[in-house]
Structure formats: C-alpha cells, structure tokens
C-alpha cells in the first residue's frame, strides 16, 4: 500500500504537469473553462495508463479504462468549482487557479482509482 501511495503521488505530479502544460497551451486559444475541461480529459487518459502500469501493476482493460473516469468525477467537480471560484469570485488569475483547486481532491481520487484498478482489493 505504501508503494502504491508513493507511486500514485509521482504519477499525480506527472499528470498535473501534463495537465497544466496542456491548460496553458489551450488557454491561448480557448476560454479558461474550455481549456480546463479539455486539458483535464487528455491528461486523464495518460493517468490511466501510468497508474495501471506503475501504481497498481495491472493490465489495462477496456472495462477499467471506461470506469477510470469515475475516479476523477470528484476531482473534476472540485477542481472545476475551485477554478471558477478562484477566477470569477475571488478575481484571481486563471494561470494558477487549477493548481490551487486540485489539491483537495487527491485523497478521494486515490481511493476510488484503487477500487477501479484493483476491484477485489479494499480501498
């Protein structure tokens, strides 16, 4: 379990960096919420394969791939609401809003992703 948590954290850092780079790139052409949604979706695909291979050491299957987005529903809702609040309510900049908003959902994402990737284990 400790190795999984550590690896999940490393994959999370890689995923966050990928997401943030995509977000900044897309932000040059799209409104911030559209850039956020698209960058989030693309980075989630990479996260699935990295977590399957390195965190949970399990074979990626279509079933797991199709269930994996469920692991990010809470993360998506929290980060999207957080980005909105930071940008539109607090009037802070849109460049760093996703990084600030994403931290709260990490523990829930780990538990749910472990349940999806290793369905016979107890999260």
């Amino acid at each position: 379990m400790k190795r999984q948590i550590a690896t999940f954290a490393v994959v999370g850092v890689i995923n966050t960096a990928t997401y943030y780079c995509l977000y900044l790139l897309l932000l040059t052409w799209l409104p911030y919420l559209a850039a956020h949604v698209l960058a989030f979706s693309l980075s989630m695909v990479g996260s699935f394969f990295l977590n399957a291979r390195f965190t949970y050491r399990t074979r990626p299957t279509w079933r797991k791939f199709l269930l994996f987005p469920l692991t990010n529903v809470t993360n998506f809702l929290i980060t999207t609401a957080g980005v909105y609040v930071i940008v539109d309510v607090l009037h802070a900049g849109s460049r760093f809003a996703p990084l600030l908003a994403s931290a709260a959902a990490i523990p829930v994402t780990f538990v749910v992703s472990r349940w999806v990737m290793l369905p016979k284990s107890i999260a």
Side-chain angles (χ1 to χ4, degrees):
M1 178 76 94
K2 288 180 184 179
R3 183 199 59 78
Q4 284 179 352
I5 292 170
T7 307
F8 185 80
V10 171
V11 168
V13 168
I14 293 168
N15 186 50
T16 301
T18 301
Y19 159 78
Y20 191 59
C21 288
L22 288 169
Y23 173 76
L24 291 176
L25 178 68
L26 294 168
L27 193 58
T28 62
W29 296 295
L30 299 171
Y32 76 90
L33 279 178
H36 165 67
V37 170
L38 189 54
F40 189 93
S41 299
L42 292 171
S43 66
M44 187 171 49
V45 172
S47 178
F48 167 76
F49 288 106
L50 290 173
N51 276 305
R53 173 71 173 102
F54 298 108
T55 303
Y56 303 112
R57 297 181 181 178
T58 186
R59 184 174 56 90
T61 64
W62 279 109
R63 180 185 177 281
K64 291 175 189 172
F65 182 76
L66 293 174
L67 287 174
F68 192 74
L70 296 176
T71 68
N72 288 291
V73 169
T74 301
N75 185 308
F76 179 78
L77 293 174
I78 291 170
T79 57
T80 302
V83 166
Y84 172 78
V85 168
I86 292 167
V87 174
D88 283 344
V89 176
L90 300 176
H91 304 290
S94 60
R95 293 181 68 81
F96 296 107
L99 297 176
L100 298 171
S102 65
I106 293 169
V108 174
T109 304
F110 173 75
V111 170
V112 178
S113 71
R114 191 168 194 275
W115 175 77
V116 167
M117 301 300 265
L118 304 171
K120 291 185 169 81
S121 70
I122 298 172

